[in-house]
Amino acid sequence: MDLLAAIAAERRHIADLVESLSPAQLDVPSLCGDWTVRQVAGHLLAAIEAPSSALLKAMVRNGFRLHRGNAQLAIEMAARPVTELAGGLRRHADNPFRPPIVGYPGQLTDLQVHGQDMRRPLGLPHGLHPDRLQISLDFLTGGRAVGFTPRRRTTGLRFTATDLDWTWGNGPLVTGPAEALMMALTGRRVVLGELDGPGVRVLAGRLG
């Protein structure tokens, strides 16, 4: 698969989503921490548009804490008009930025997961491509998903997608749709009710 093309397509997919939402929908709490749907969009745009100096200033304001600096930058970016958020995602859709360690699979996974952080609270269908979901499942269980999935979360469990020819691991089974598995692997407890198998209880305990 051409990962850069897949990443670009997901950015455009999210731009279309953002433009289609009402102000009330944009202010709905997302599945990502304390962020609203709009702020998740701001985070995705900040990752490819904000200069490194902007992140440095945000970190200085937040005691050099990277995660808090990133969160502040996302909130600032989200204050832009919706047309600018969507336009920025489209303008930078083909940005070849490759994150360290997690690389392009991590970038694709970040977009797919955050897209669902936005859509799920609004009850919207995801329209994610099965082949892209499989890339993310392979990434999340491959041992290099730093910042996404701690290894302890998957150790001793077997995961099987019911809508893909995909299985990983050994141990008590966790089975369900590929999208729900991806969200569970990244710590979203809200999808646990969509999963089945004796491993679900173990996974739930690990999600806290």
Side-chain angles (χ1 to χ4, degrees):
M1 178 192 292
D2 184 338
L3 286 181
L4 280 175
I7 288 167
E10 289 301 329
R11 286 179 180 144
R12 294 185 181 104
H13 192 31
I14 291 172
D16 292 342
L17 169 67
V18 170
E19 267 187 344
S20 74
L21 300 179
S22 69
Q25 287 175 309
L26 288 164
D27 287 337
V28 167
S30 76
L31 298 184
C32 188
D34 296 326
W35 285 348
T36 63
V37 168
R38 177 192 288 268
Q39 288 165 348
V40 173
H43 162 70
L44 292 174
L45 180 57
I48 48 176
E49 181 170 278
S52 56
S53 59
L55 176 58
L56 179 60
K57 289 178 182 177
M59 287 178 62
V60 168
R61 293 196 300 271
N62 289 275
F64 288 95
R65 286 170 286 189
L66 178 60
H67 290 298
R68 293 196 63 172
N70 266 324
Q72 182 64 45
L73 196 57
I75 291 169
E76 292 173 4
M77 191 71 71
R80 297 182 177 189
V82 170
T83 52
E84 288 188 25
L85 288 173
L89 287 167
R90 291 196 185 96
R91 187 168 61 254
H92 293 283
D94 295 301
N95 188 311
F97 170 66
R98 182 173 184 169
I101 303 176
V102 300
Y104 291 138
Q107 185 86 289
L108 177 61
T109 301
D110 193 57
L111 286 160
Q112 294 193 108
V113 170
H114 281 319
Q116 288 307 94
D117 285 338
M118 301 163 76
R119 294 183 194 98
R120 273 182 164 269
L122 298 172
L124 299 176
H126 60 73
L128 297 174
H129 290 225
D131 53 350
R132 296 175 195 164
L133 282 168
Q134 185 160 341
I135 291 290
S136 290
L137 291 176
D138 287 339
F139 165 70
L140 293 170
T141 54
R144 298 186 65 184
V146 178
F148 289 83
T149 305
R151 292 193 182 190
R152 178 184 174 277
R153 187 173 292 163
T154 58
T155 299
L157 292 174
R158 182 178 179 223
F159 296 88
T160 296
T162 54
D163 52 354
L164 289 179
D165 183 15
W166 183 87
T167 294
W168 179 90
N170 293 286
L173 178 65
V174 178
T175 184
E179 180 269 342
L181 288 176
M182 177 184 72
M183 298 301 284
L185 286 167
T186 52
R188 276 63 175 176
R189 292 184 57 87
V190 69
V191 304
L192 290 174
E194 301 169 35
L195 305 178
D196 198 9
V200 174
R201 180 177 294 183
V202 178
L203 178 61
R206 294 176 181 178
L207 295 184

